[in-house]
Amino acid sequence: QVHVRESGGGSVQAGGSLSLSCEATGRGLKAVYLMGWFRQAPGKEREGVALLNMDGLIVYTDAVKGRFTISRDTQDNTKKAVSLQMNSLKPDDTAVYYCVVETSMFDIKRVIHTDGQELKYWGQGSQVTVSS
């Protein structure tokens, strides 16, 4: 069993920056294979934002490339924690951002382009609001 705890987000004007953090805890920690974020804007489907796997591969959706950076906390190898630094934010980035954790092997180059429904463990969601 894996629990997902996320924090961060908030409100900012266009061009500003925010960050999100996510930590996986629980008995299934050693089996964690991928972590990252999806987001869902009002009236829209959930979409992938940024994912990484424990092999070191990182993928982003095209809309955030060059602006968002996902990174893993490597100071403690026993910890499964990631952060998402979001720069040059746009009103279109406004959404609830969900951290996702998965213990099975998935092709993150494929999964980033889905709605994530096949992934198992989700955080409670963090609101990110960008005003123009």
Side-chain angles (χ1 to χ4, degrees):
Q1 184 70 19
V2 174
H3 303 284
V4 181
R5 183 172 59 203
E6 55 179 289
S7 60
S11 298
V12 69
Q13 289 191 324
S17 299
L18 289 171
S19 63
L20 298 170
S21 297
C22 176
E23 183 176 3
T25 61
R27 289 184 173 185
L29 211 55
K30 287 186 178 180
V32 170
Y33 179 72
L34 72 84
M35 299 181 71
W37 275 270
F38 280 69
R39 67 185 180 186
Q40 188 165 22
K44 293 188 177 181
E45 287 191 357
R46 188 169 60 193
E47 62 175 358
V49 177
L51 296 173
L52 62 78
N53 66 22
M54 297 302 130
D55 297 325
L57 182 63
I58 292 174
V59 294
Y60 299 96
T61 190
D62 287 347
V64 307
K65 282 180 182 176
R67 300 187 298 120
F68 290 13
T69 302
I70 186 172
S71 59
R72 185 184 164 196
D73 181 353
T74 56
Q75 289 186 340
D76 182 350
N77 286 333
T78 64
K79 196 176 177 183
K80 296 295 193 298
V82 293
S83 60
L84 185 69
Q85 178 64 40
M86 302 179 289
N87 298 328
S88 302
L89 282 161
K90 305 174 182 180
D92 283 349
D93 295 317
T94 295
V96 178
Y97 285 67
Y98 296 93
C99 180
V100 64
V101 177
E102 176 56 61
T103 53
S104 298
M105 291 183 69
F106 280 87
D107 178 0
I108 63 172
K109 292 181 182 178
R110 176 186 65 80
V111 171
I112 191 74
H113 299 296
T114 72
D115 64 3
Q117 62 177 337
E118 58 196 314
L119 303 177
K120 201 175 305 175
Y121 302 105
W122 293 84
Q124 78 278 9
S126 298
Q127 178 68 47
V128 170
T129 302
V130 185
S131 57
S132 56

